[in-house]
Structures are given as C-alpha cells and as structure tokens.
Amino acid sequence: MKLAEITNYLESIAPLNYQEDYDNSGLIVGDPNMEIHAALVALDCVEKIVDEAISKGCNLIITHHPIVFKGIKKLNGKNYVERVVVKAIKNNIALYAIHTNLDSIHTGVNAMICHRLGLTGTKVLSPKAGLLKKLVTYCPHAQAEQLRSALFYAGAGNIGNYSECSFNADGFGTFKGNEDSDPFVGEKGFRHRENEVRIEMVYPTQAERKILVALFENHPYEEVAYDIYKLENKHQLVGSGMVGWLEYDMDGYDFLHLVKDRMQAKVIRHTEVIGKRIKKVAVCGGSGSFLLKDAIAAGADVFITADFKYHEFFDAEEKLIIADIGHFETEQFTSNLLLEIIQKKFTNFAIRLTEQNTNPINYLF
C-alpha cells in the first residue's frame, strides 16, 4: 500500500496539530507515494532499529520518539541522528514519528498506562485550548436538515461523547442581488426577506477544510453567509496526562509495588509515602513534571511519570506522592498500542514489533 494510506490513518487518530510546539511528529523521511511492503514499530529510532528493519524487509519504521527534533544542517554521519537518517535514505526506508500528538489523545499513551494500572473513570488531566472553532451559518428551513447532515458527516458537531450537536434558532435574512446575481430565492434587483435557520456547530480546527467544502456544496445560496469563531474552550478529550481511580484504595507502598510490577519498572524514585491511602491516580507518559500542579489540583494521591529533577520532588509538599518510574518505562508499551491501532485498520498488512530494547539507561542494583 501507499505510505500516505498509513500516515493519513494515523493522523486521523492523532492529528499533527495536537503535538507540542517543540515536537517533530509526522513523516520525517520518505515519499508519501512510495509503496510500503512491511513496517517495524518501536519506541525509538536508533541505528539498531534501522538494521532490524533491513533484516526483516521493512521499508517503514514507525516510532513514538522522532529521530529528528531540531534542524539538521549537514548529513555526514557525525552523530547517531545523522547516521540513522543517512542509513534510512540509502535503504529506501521511510521514518515516521507519532509523539506528543499520540500522548495528547484520550485513547493514547496515557490511556495505556491507566489500563495497565486498572484505573477507571479516566479523563484528561490538563485539556488543551486552541483546538476548537465554531461555525455559524444561515439556511432556509427546507434545506437546513440536508446541510446539517452534511456538516455532521464532515466532522462538525462532536462534543465529548456526543455527536451531531448543533444549536438552531429561527429568524429571517434579507438580501438584494445585483444584475450579475443568480438568487436561489427572490428576484435580482429587489430586496428579499427569507425565513432562515441560524445553525451553530463546534468543530476541531483540523477538520475546517472538509467542513467548508461541505458547507459550500450543500448550501443552496449562491453567496453563503457564515462566520467562524476561535474558541477558548478546552478540548476535554485532548491534552496532557490523565487521571483516574483505583477500584479499591490501597496502602501507599503496596500501590508502588503494583506500579513497579505492572509497568515493569526496574526502580521507582519517589517522594515520602504519606499516610493517606491511594485511590485517585494521575499519570503522564514521558517527562511530566510540568503537570505536578495539575495533579495536585485534581486531588490525585499519587502522580506517576518520569524525569523529575531533584529540587522538583520538594514541590510535592506532602500533598501527593511523586512516583518517577523512568521515561522508557512509562512509554515502553506505546509500541504495542501502535501495533494494535494499525492492525485493527489494516488487517492484512505486515507490521512487526521490534525485538530490540532501546532504553539508553541501565541500572546497577
């Protein structure tokens, strides 16, 4: 199949505009029109992953972490980033990364952590703003239902667990066409008054092009009146971290042992195990120290993440337990998640999970 078929599907689940500003998710190496025979999935794209792809006949590598974060000015193999890119190009292997955009969706990396820990009632810990817009348009009553249906089909009107959401109000519009006009109702040169429905729908910004095409193709008027508003509302299903509940409250040390076991962590760095029992749990795959205040505000008893610095542990102030289990450890099951996502859509496609451990950190016990 074409590379674009796979990448377009992944981006329909985790749109690229969901990634953080510093990130570099998406197609890093490769032609969208190239034929893909088999894919290899891994957490990191390092040299031994490219070698594994070559040995297994895979001409696409899908990873969570992008091999290129910053701009590359030269490609002479002086570091592992350049060597990976050069080797991929020489062997006609496409490189694709799905990083913080996969972190941000409510079915992504953090949902995988919650699932492994047995959390229920989960929701995004810090929802993102700036991802939603509102369309307002005006349509004659007789054509309003067809227009609403077309806009719903294009991706408008989804709010949380609800779809086909719209607000409608009756009113009337006036217009007068000039000699070059071709009005759907009324006569050119005369002011016309038409009973209309004001239709309002919220939509994600990445769906705007499809929604406007649907609007223009299904609205009966020659000149379509519409407004687009940027919303400050936070997208409750997109953002950083997650928070959920254990089925039963647990002793602090018992819970940390459960985390160590289920997340296959070698070691856990943690703050003092305060006396209260553990019931509400916040998580963030990867570097999550920036979410500590959100975890405290959410009333979490423990915050599981990685990459806390020494002085940042003091910021817990005995309001919760910080449990730093390691960057790799929080995200190691992301490859399994990607495998599941792709196999569900492309049932006959050859996709393989890496056999390599790419954790650059070793532990001495």
Side-chain angles (χ1 to χ4, degrees):
M1 73 174 75
K2 299 288 187 183
L3 174 59
E5 292 182 60
I6 302 173
T7 59
N8 288 344
Y9 176 66
L10 291 174
E11 288 164 19
S12 72
I13 295 172
L16 292 179
N17 64 306
Y18 288 179
Q19 68 182 305
E20 300 297 332
D21 293 339
Y22 63 81
D23 202 7
N24 190 35
S25 295
L27 185 60
I28 295 173
V29 171
D31 180 350
N33 293 313
M34 67 186 288
E35 288 288 337
I36 299 300
H37 312 300
L40 181 67
V41 178
L43 183 65
D44 304 286
C45 191
V46 291
E47 291 175 85
K48 62 182 178 181
I49 296 297
V50 180
D51 291 335
E52 184 182 11
I54 294 171
S55 68
K56 292 181 176 178
C58 299
N59 63 338
L60 168 62
I61 299 173
I62 302 171
T63 59
H64 185 47
H65 295 139
I67 181 61
V68 178
F69 265 109
K70 300 177 181 178
I72 296 179
K73 294 184 178 181
K74 297 178 181 178
L75 282 174
N76 50 33
K78 67 180 180 182
N79 57 48
Y80 84 96
V81 174
E82 293 180 10
R83 290 193 296 272
V84 164
V85 173
V86 169
K87 183 174 286 189
I89 293 173
K90 282 184 175 180
N91 290 276
N92 197 33
I93 296 175
L95 304 180
Y96 185 86
I98 180 167
H99 189 209
T100 54
N101 50 328
L102 187 64
D103 290 333
S104 294
I105 62 173
H106 73 288
T107 54
V109 175
N110 295 306
M112 174 69 79
I113 298 172
C114 290
H115 174 72
R116 293 193 68 85
L117 296 178
L119 303 184
T120 60
T122 57
K123 62 179 182 179
V124 173
L125 179 60
S126 179
K128 285 182 179 291
L131 298 176
L132 298 172
K133 292 185 178 181
K134 178 184 280 189
L135 171 70
V136 177
T137 190
Y138 311 85
C139 182
H141 285 262
Q143 290 77 31
E145 183 55 37
Q146 176 184 331
L147 179 60
R148 274 191 294 267
S149 296
L151 294 172
F152 292 149
Y153 184 78
N158 295 313
I159 302 177
N161 294 321
Y162 294 85
S163 61
E164 301 189 9
C165 302
S166 68
F167 177 78
N168 303 267
D170 290 338
F172 68 86
T174 64
F175 49 85
K176 180 171 75 173
N178 62 25
E179 289 302 312
D180 295 324
S181 68
D182 183 20
F184 176 71
V185 290
E187 298 180 33
K188 64 177 67 176
F190 296 90
R191 185 201 302 160
H192 178 77
R193 169 172 166 159
E194 182 70 21
N195 291 328
E196 296 175 337
V197 181
R198 174 188 170 109
I199 302 173
E200 301 183 16
M201 295 184 185
V202 173
Y203 66 90
T205 55
Q206 69 270 13
E208 184 164 290
R209 182 178 177 276
K210 287 180 64 177
I211 288 168
L212 290 180
V213 169
L215 173 66
F216 297 139
E217 288 183 349
N218 291 274
H219 200 292
Y221 286 175
E222 182 181 22
E223 297 290 345
V224 180
Y226 69 98
D227 304 304
I228 291 177
Y229 300 94
K230 290 184 178 180
L231 301 180
E232 293 299 321
N233 306 50
K234 293 183 177 180
H235 197 316
Q236 296 301 316
L237 297 181
V238 180
S240 302
M242 293 195 85
V243 62
W245 301 85
L246 290 169
E247 185 177 1
Y248 305 103
D249 62 344
M250 297 182 65
D251 170 79
Y253 282 108
D254 289 342
F255 178 72
L256 290 178
H257 281 292
L258 179 143
V259 172
K260 188 172 184 293
D261 177 60
R262 295 194 180 176
M263 297 303 297
Q264 298 178 16
K266 296 285 197 307
V267 65
I268 297 180
R269 299 191 305 148
H270 62 86
T271 54
E272 181 182 355
V273 177
I274 51 184
K276 66 177 180 178
R277 294 178 68 80
I278 307 301
K279 180 68 173 177
K280 194 172 188 180
V281 180
V283 307
C284 179
S287 303
S289 61
F290 69 100
L291 288 172
L292 177 59
K293 290 183 179 179
D294 296 277
I296 294 172
D301 301 312
V302 63
F303 180 32
I304 301 165
T305 186
D307 300 344
F308 262 85
K309 296 179 180 178
Y310 174 84
H311 290 285
E312 291 175 330
F313 280 91
F314 288 110
D315 294 332
E317 295 188 300
E318 296 188 349
K319 294 176 181 177
L320 49 56
I321 300 170
I322 295 172
D324 185 327
I325 68 173
H327 197 119
F328 175 86
E329 286 74 12
T330 62
E331 296 181 331
Q332 61 184 308
F333 304 106
T334 303
S335 299
N336 302 81
L337 173 64
L338 285 170
L339 188 73
E340 180 182 327
I341 289 171
I342 297 170
Q343 285 182 332
K344 186 175 181 179
K345 173 67 174 179
F346 305 104
T347 55
N348 295 320
F349 179 62
I351 181 165
R352 298 176 173 85
L353 198 62
T354 181
E355 297 176 19
Q356 305 295 320
N357 183 326
T358 61
N359 190 357
I361 299 171
N362 292 279
Y363 304 93
L364 179 64
F365 296 97

